Structures are given as C-alpha cells and as structure tokens.
C-alpha cells in the first residue's frame, strides 16, 4: 500500500486517481488545513475505490507509527505541506515546521518501519533566479523565500539520507506550474480566499466571481511582454508519480527530476486560451510587475523522459477546459 500524505490536496488527490488507474492500493493522510473533507468522497466516486483515510498531521509521530504498524506501507508519496510563497515570508516558522519538520517526521517513521521508498514534492522554485532557460536539474539551487528554502532544506536532507544508506529509494520531483483539474470536474484546485496563482484567478474572473485580472508586468523581454511559465496539467503531473514509483522500485533512488512540459506560455497566452475554453471574456489590466517574479521559467524535461519514459501529453487548451469545468462545478 502507498501512503499519500496531503492526499486530499490539489496534486495529491489527482495522484490518487492515477494510482487507482494503475491498480495500486493507497491510503490518505491529511490534516485538512488546506483541503476539503469532501475530497476523499469525491475520489471514491471517481475511482470506485474507498481508500483508508487518516486524519492528522505529518508531524504527529505517534499517528505515523500507528499507520506504519497497522498497514503494510511499501512507499510514501509526500505532498503534505504549505505552498504559498508570499505567506511564507510572513509566517516562516509555519513553513519550516510543516514542510521541514513534517518531512523529517515522515522519514523518521519510514526508517522505523523499514519503508525506504519515498517520492517528495519539490518545486522549480529551488533553482532561484537568474538561471539560463530551460532549467536542467544540474542548475545551481538557491532559494529566494522561506517556502523555497524549506523545499531546498528537505531536498538536502533527503540527499544526505540516501548517501548514508544506499537502500533508500528517493525521488525529488521539481514541479513547474501545475494547473487544470480532473476531467470529471469532481476534484480540482480550490484556493482559500483570493487566489495567488494565475490559473485559479483567471477561472474566477471568467466565472464572474472576480471582476478583472491584474496582469503583473507587460514589459518583460518576451514576445508579448508578459511573463512566461511552464504550465503542466495536474493529471500529467499525477501520472508522473506512478512512473516515479515504478522507477524507484526497479532501479533504486537518487532521482531528481523536473516535471513540466518544456514549453513556456505567456500570461496573455493563458488568458486567450481560457477565453476560448470558457466562451467568456476575461477583463484584465496590465499593472506593475510582481516583486520576485522572473520573466520566463520553463523546464528541460529530457531527464524525466529518459528515466521515467514519461512525458506530459495534455495541452494548454486541455488545462483550461478542465479548469473551467471544475470552476463551473464550484459555482453551482
Ligand atoms: P495543497 O495545499 O492543495 O495540498 C497539500 C495538502 O497537505 C492539503 O490537503 C493540506 O491540508 C495538507 N497538509 C498541509 N500541511 C499538513 C500537515 N502538516 N500534515 C498533514 N497534512 C497537511 O497543495 P498542492 O498544490 O497539492 O501541493 C502539494 C505539494 O506539492 C506541496 O508540498 C507543494 O509545496 C508542492 N508543490 C506545489 C506546487 C503548486 O503549484 N501547486 C508547485 C510545486 C510544488
Ligand atoms: C504565474 C504568472 C505572475 C497571478 C508559483 C510559485 C512556485 C510554484 C508554482 C509551488 C506570473 C502572473 C499571477 C495574477 C498575474 N509553487 N500572474 N496575475 O509565481 O510562476 O509560481 O506557483 O512550489 O513556487 O512561485 O505562478 O501562477 O503565481 O504566476 O499576472 O493574478 O502569472 O506574475 O508571471 P509562479 P503564478
């Protein structure tokens, strides 16, 4: 059985669908600090499989020991953590506690149970600024905010762990910009309050929940002047986790992989695609750049293709169509 921490969250829930499609048995562990209790029910409706659910915190060592003692866990997908870059500068200790202490707690429980297969959710943010594009895994890492630092600290901890004991099988997956939703429209991204990220904001403007979008920066050195990102459909990302688990099982650890499409799409490009998908007009105004943003960020995805035999296959139009279907379900 695979333990999915943060399994009720955005990427974790979609990954559960991919695990079920691959015929793998899994259990969820989540404290619902950033997800809804309806998600496991919806997951069961999609998959036809009622997974075990443990409600609690990854920092609760007693709970983790109980889970490992009472179930035969063969691998862990560790999604649980906090992810808002801006908030991390206001509440750095929350980020180090949930993300760093939380990850330490998970690997300690795994060590105790003798379970040594782990997939960790890292982020393209670990590369820091000013690197040439596309970003390859060998690019130097440097965090520019507490969130990124928490991810980098965990990556380094996991690297040390693997060097100390070759029987660990660890993948550190560096996600670029996950967007979209499962095609059923039953699960998706539901940010609490005002969305920080582009796609959920665009979706809410299209739905009339918000009046208009502020496009942060129109003077970047890109073809249309707006910033470019490597958006990846969350189901493509989800499926890569199954491929990573298989790879770990077959040929050991030491996997550090970028997960993106390898292509950049501009903010205006995304707005245009979302207008086509939704049939709605998306009012926007170009405002100042957002501090900390880079002009362009996209992945070199050749290593993931080579080692996992995996490539993102869904298009920007697929991402917008599925995000819109999910958004429409929210509005009802
Ligand atoms: P999310 O907030 O939707 O999901 C995280 C889940 O973990 C939530 O259900 C939350 O309730 C749970 N959680 C948080 N802290 C916990 C704790 N201490 N104990 C137990 N459960 C806890 O986020 P997501 O977008 O699904 O991201 C999943 C992982 O991927 C995170 O580690 C995030 O940093 C990483 N990541 C996300 C993105 C992105 O853009 N979404 C990009 C790169 C990396
Ligand atoms: C994309 C582009 C914005 C909102 C973040 C994290 C990263 C990773 C993924 C976790 C940028 C512009 C946005 C808006 C806009 N998460 N934008 N108006 O910043 O590339 O990445 O999420 O690991 O670490 O930093 O994603 O969606 O916030 O922004 O113009 O209302 O859209 O300026 O150019 P970002 P994003």
């Amino acid at each position: 059985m695979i333990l999915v921490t943060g399994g009720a969250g955005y990427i974790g829930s979609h990954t559960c669908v991919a695990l079920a499609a691959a015929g793998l048995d899994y259990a969820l562990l989540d404290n619902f600090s950033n997800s809804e209790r309806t998600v496991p029910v919806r997951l069961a409706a999609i998959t036809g499989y009622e997974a075990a659910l443990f409600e609690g915190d990854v920092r609760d060592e007693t709970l983790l020991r109980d889970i490992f003692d009472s179930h035969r866990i063969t691998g862990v997908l560790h999604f649980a953590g906090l992810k808002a870059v801006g908030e991390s500068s206001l509440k750095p200790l929350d980020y180090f506690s949930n993300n760093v202490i939380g990850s330490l707690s998970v690997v300690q429980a795994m060590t105790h149970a003798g379970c040594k297969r782990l997939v960790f959710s890292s982020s393209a943010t670990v590369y820091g600024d000013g690197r040439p594009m596309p970003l390859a895994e060998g690019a130097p890492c440097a965090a520019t905010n507490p969130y990124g630092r928490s991810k980098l600290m965990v990556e380094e901890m996991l690297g040390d762990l693997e060097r100390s004991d070759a029987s660990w099988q660890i993948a550190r997956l560096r996600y670029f910009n996950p967007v979209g939703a499962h095609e059923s429209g039953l699960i998706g991204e539901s940010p609490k309050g005002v969305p920080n990220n582009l796609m959920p904001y665009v979706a809410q403007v299209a739905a009339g929940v918000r009046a208009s979008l502020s496009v942060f920066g129109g003077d970047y050195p890109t073809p249309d002047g707006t910033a470019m990102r490597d958006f990846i459909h969350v189901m493509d990302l989800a499926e890569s986790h199954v491929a990573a688990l298989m790879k770990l099982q077959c040929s050991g650890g030491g996997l550090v992989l970028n997960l993106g499409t390898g292509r950049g799409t501009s903010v205006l490009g995304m707005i245009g695609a979302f207008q086509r998908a939704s049939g709605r007009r998306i009012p926007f105004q170009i405002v100042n750049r957002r501090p900390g943003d880079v002009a362009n960020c996209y992945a070199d995805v050749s290593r993931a293709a080579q080692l996992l035999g995996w490539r993102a296959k869904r298009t920007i139009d697929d991402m917008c169509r599925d995000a819109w279907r999910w958004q429409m379900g929210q509005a009802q």
Side-chain angles (χ1 to χ4, degrees):
M1 173 183 278
I2 305 298
L3 179 65
V4 186
T5 78
Y10 175 45
I11 305 170
S13 60
H14 289 79
T15 301
C16 289
V17 176
L19 289 171
L24 295 168
D25 202 11
Y26 56 88
L28 282 69
L29 166 60
D30 206 298
N31 66 0
F32 295 102
S33 61
N34 197 38
S35 50
E36 302 298 330
R37 284 184 173 73
T38 51
V39 172
V41 182
R42 288 163 173 251
L43 266 177
I46 295 171
T47 60
Y49 169 68
E50 195 150 340
L53 168 66
F54 304 102
E55 180 166 349
D57 200 292
V58 288
R59 292 164 294 183
D60 181 342
E61 291 173 19
T62 311
L63 171 66
L64 284 177
R65 279 200 182 204
D66 284 350
I67 295 172
F68 279 96
D69 285 347
S70 56
H71 295 77
R72 201 179 149 265
I73 310 286
T74 53
V76 177
L77 300 182
H78 179 40
F79 295 99
L82 306 182
K83 64 166 179 176
V85 172
E87 184 190 60
S88 78
S89 294
L90 302 173
K91 300 178 177 174
L93 298 185
D94 285 355
Y95 278 70
F96 292 116
S97 179
N98 279 275
N99 295 3
V100 181
I101 306 289
S103 299
L104 177 62
S105 164
V106 168
V107 290
Q108 277 174 332
M110 292 177 71
T111 305
H112 181 256
C115 170
K116 296 188 175 178
R117 190 173 299 143
L118 171 70
V119 178
F120 172 64
S121 298
S122 189
S123 168
T125 198
V126 298
Y127 291 116
D129 297 343
R131 313 282 184 241
M133 297 295 144
L135 281 164
E137 290 84 351
C141 290
T144 56
N145 54 66
Y147 168 70
R149 233 173 321 279
S150 75
K151 289 289 170 189
L152 205 44
M153 287 167 80
V154 176
E155 279 213 23
E156 288 175 350
M157 174 177 80
L158 297 178
D160 285 339
L161 185 59
E162 283 193 305
R163 279 184 288 278
S164 74
D165 174 355
S167 63
W168 274 92
Q169 301 174 333
I170 301 179
R172 300 174 238 167
L173 304 184
R174 296 174 177 166
Y175 312 153
F176 278 67
N177 288 61
V179 296
H182 186 257
E183 61 179 15
S184 64
L186 287 174
I187 54 171
E189 185 176 17
S190 38
K192 296 194 167 150
V194 182
N196 298 308
N197 298 115
L198 179 65
M199 183 68 120
Y201 206 109
V202 166
Q204 291 190 8
V205 173
V209 177
R210 300 191 188 278
S212 81
L213 171 78
S214 293
V215 172
F216 300 136
D219 57 352
Y220 282 112
T222 58
D224 66 19
T226 63
M228 298 182 78
R229 293 291 181 274
D230 187 340
F231 298 100
I232 174 171
H233 195 295
V234 67
M235 281 310 300
D236 277 328
L237 186 61
E239 288 160 5
S240 74
H241 289 73
V242 177
L245 269 178
M246 297 306 157
K247 177 72 182 170
L248 289 179
Q249 191 174 345
C250 297
S251 50
L255 277 186
V256 179
L257 298 175
N258 286 340
L259 296 175
T261 61
R263 288 181 299 278
T265 300
S266 72
V267 174
L268 286 184
M270 184 58 100
I271 294 171
F274 210 95
Q275 290 189 146
R276 283 197 302 280
S278 62
R280 303 283 178 93
R281 203 173 65 82
I282 298 171
F284 69 86
Q285 62 285 333
I286 294 184
V287 301
N288 288 339
R289 295 179 181 189
R290 188 172 66 178
D293 275 354
V294 294
N296 198 356
C297 180
Y298 61 99
D300 178 339
V301 291
S302 50
R303 191 189 281 184
Q306 189 196 339
L307 295 181
L308 301 186
W310 166 92
R311 261 187 198 283
K313 32 180 208 279
R314 294 164 178 89
T315 64
I316 288 286
D317 290 337
D318 296 333
M319 300 175 207
C320 293
R321 181 201 61 217
D322 293 336
W324 178 239
R325 190 184 293 112
W326 163 247
Q327 179 64 43
M328 284 291 82
Q330 299 298 97
Q332 284 159 12

